[in-house]
Amino acid sequence: MFDSHYDYASDARRDNVVAMPMRGAVPREPSELTRFGMMYGASPAMREVFAMVERVAPTEAAVLVVGESGCGKELVAQTVHQLSARADAPFVAVNCGALPGSLIEAELFGYEKGAFTGANRTHPGVFERAEGGTLFLDEITEMPLDMQVRLLRVLETRCFTRVGGEREMRCNVRVVAATNRDPHQAVAEGALREDLLYRLAVFPIALPPLRERAADVLLLARHFLGELNREHGTQKKLTEASEAAILRHAWPGNVRELKNCLQRAYIMSENWVEVDPENAMPGMGSRPATRPGMLEFEVGTSLPDMERRMIIATLDKFAGNKRKTAEVLGVSLKTLYNRLNEYARREARYATA
């Protein structure tokens, strides 16, 4: 199914990587990193993601990928595209959060010559450029609400009009969207229209952060080092101390942080690669280490999301003892049960969206 994109057989067992066959087969050795499309992983969490992608890719369903920054949401979208009937058509990605509000309409739908100052020629938007293929809308919760209304109409009618144009154009595009926020919380905060959420989340996929993929961390590090060795014709290896440091680190920047950290350590080393994740950017200040039993929150995380993570982590710390959890958090047992019931309802609603 992937033959036109990648020779998986030639990569088998290279740098502890095996290609994951279709239909849910798993590697014989749990110590091996599995490649599935553009993604890598050996942990149960990632194998579940692989299975979900394999299920939805051949369909025309809209997909919403939810995960922290640096987890590889675009790789999920690219894999969905590669495994679909649209694989030979374009894959076009656009970051909704990187476009100014004044330009996002022109980038999505294109514009006619003379539509505004500087429009010296007709410009096709991403819906036209992705015709017949897949359009990846990253950071969908950062799109202005008025544009969300227009996007919803295009998704429902498959028709749009260029800025400055009058002719309605039809499009044949599959949309995969992504966000690093809790989508239901984004709806509650007014950042995402609820009707658009349900239109995009026909098939939601939750991508786990690297800290929840313990079986993958060291395998990924070795894999990235192997790529660098092949690229530069070297045979550098990780020291035992480096491997221990990699396993200890929380990786708040997820796979992107791990890959960048390995690349810098590779550049700075001779034969043995010394990795120090806590001092990966010398001269740029230090970041407090996240010790076991501690939570780390990215600036900009919503208070309800921090509260949810704190409750779940505390409940886990006390092995599910709700009375002890409520006592430590300083809330009543009733309040704790209300919160947990709310989270359960939200998860159920999200799973059936």
Side-chain angles (χ1 to χ4, degrees):
M1 190 176 295
F2 278 86
D3 290 348
S4 62
H5 301 279
Y6 188 83
D7 183 3
Y8 285 85
S10 67
D11 230 12
R13 300 187 184 281
R14 185 172 68 182
D15 293 330
N16 292 325
V17 177
V18 296
M20 181 175 178
M22 298 298 98
R23 302 294 171 246
V26 298
R28 287 176 294 175
E29 302 177 39
S31 61
E32 293 176 324
L33 194 63
T34 301
R35 174 164 185 168
F36 183 79
M38 302 296 292
M39 302 178 289
Y40 291 89
S43 62
M46 284 307 294
R47 293 186 190 186
E48 184 176 344
V49 171
F50 296 164
M52 294 181 73
V53 170
E54 185 180 6
R55 285 271 187 181
V56 73
T59 74
E60 286 294 301
V63 177
L64 177 64
V65 186
V66 181
E68 296 178 8
S69 296
C71 282
K73 295 185 289 296
E74 185 166 348
L75 300 181
V76 176
Q78 290 175 333
T79 302
V80 168
H81 175 70
Q82 286 187 352
L83 279 173
S84 74
R86 298 173 177 267
D88 294 329
F91 174 88
V92 179
V94 59
N95 188 320
C96 301
L99 295 173
S102 57
L103 296 180
I104 192 167
E105 181 179 15
E107 180 60 21
L108 288 178
F109 309 121
Y111 55 84
E112 299 286 357
K113 181 179 179 180
F116 48 80
T117 303
N120 299 320
R121 59 181 176 83
T122 297
H123 175 75
V126 294
F127 272 92
E128 286 182 75
R129 302 204 296 270
E131 178 63 22
T134 303
L135 176 59
F136 176 56
L137 298 176
D138 198 8
E139 295 190 35
I140 188 66
T141 50
E142 306 307 309
M143 180 182 287
L145 290 174
D146 60 332
M147 286 309 305
Q148 292 184 27
V149 175
R150 286 206 58 186
L151 174 62
L152 179 62
R153 182 181 181 278
V154 173
L155 295 178
E156 291 177 342
T157 66
R158 293 186 174 270
C159 294
F160 67 92
T161 304
R162 289 176 181 160
V163 176
E166 297 180 355
R167 181 169 63 93
E168 193 169 60
M169 306 178 67
R170 293 196 61 81
C171 63
N172 173 22
V173 170
R174 182 186 191 174
V175 171
V176 178
T179 178
N180 59 8
R181 301 175 61 179
D182 178 333
H184 288 291
Q185 189 61 43
V187 169
E189 295 172 355
L192 180 65
R193 289 181 59 93
E194 189 171 29
D195 47 7
L196 179 59
L197 167 62
Y198 291 120
R199 183 62 183 80
L200 293 172
V202 175
F203 195 93
I205 296 177
L207 194 58
L210 190 54
R211 62 180 174 275
E212 295 178 6
R213 299 169 54 187
D216 294 342
V217 178
L218 196 53
L219 293 175
L220 284 170
R222 292 169 179 166
H223 168 67
F224 293 144
L225 180 57
E227 286 186 327
L228 291 167
N229 278 328
R230 286 192 295 276
E231 181 181 349
H232 299 285
T234 56
Q235 294 183 340
K236 297 182 182 182
K237 296 181 179 180
L238 289 166
T239 64
E240 288 187 9
S242 293
E243 292 191 344
I246 288 169
L247 289 172
R248 283 196 306 268
H249 191 58
W251 301 108
N254 293 296
V255 180
R256 182 185 296 131
E257 180 190 0
L258 174 63
K259 187 172 184 178
N260 291 346
C261 185
L262 258 295
Q263 185 171 15
R264 181 187 183 280
Y266 174 89
I267 293 171
M268 296 297 294
S269 68
E270 295 297 333
N271 296 319
W272 291 94
V273 179
E274 297 281 355
V275 178
D276 181 8
E278 305 302 334
N279 191 33
M281 295 183 286
M284 299 183 67
S286 60
R287 176 180 59 204
T290 302
R291 298 188 298 275
M294 295 183 66
L295 289 177
E296 185 175 83
F297 298 104
E298 183 179 352
V299 174
T301 304
S302 67
L303 289 175
D305 189 42
M306 286 192 288
E307 179 186 74
R308 178 184 61 81
R309 290 173 58 187
M310 178 64 74
I311 289 175
I312 299 301
T314 307
L315 192 63
D316 183 61
K317 176 181 176 64
F318 294 111
N321 188 322
K322 296 181 179 61
R323 190 173 299 278
K324 181 65 175 178
T325 297
E327 178 184 339
V328 169
L329 293 176
V331 298
S332 69
L333 190 59
K334 179 180 178 181
T335 296
L336 177 62
Y337 271 105
N338 287 341
R339 291 287 191 276
L340 293 174
N341 288 336
E342 176 187 337
Y343 303 150
R345 286 194 299 270
R346 185 185 302 173
E347 289 297 324
R349 188 170 69 248
Y350 181 60
T352 57

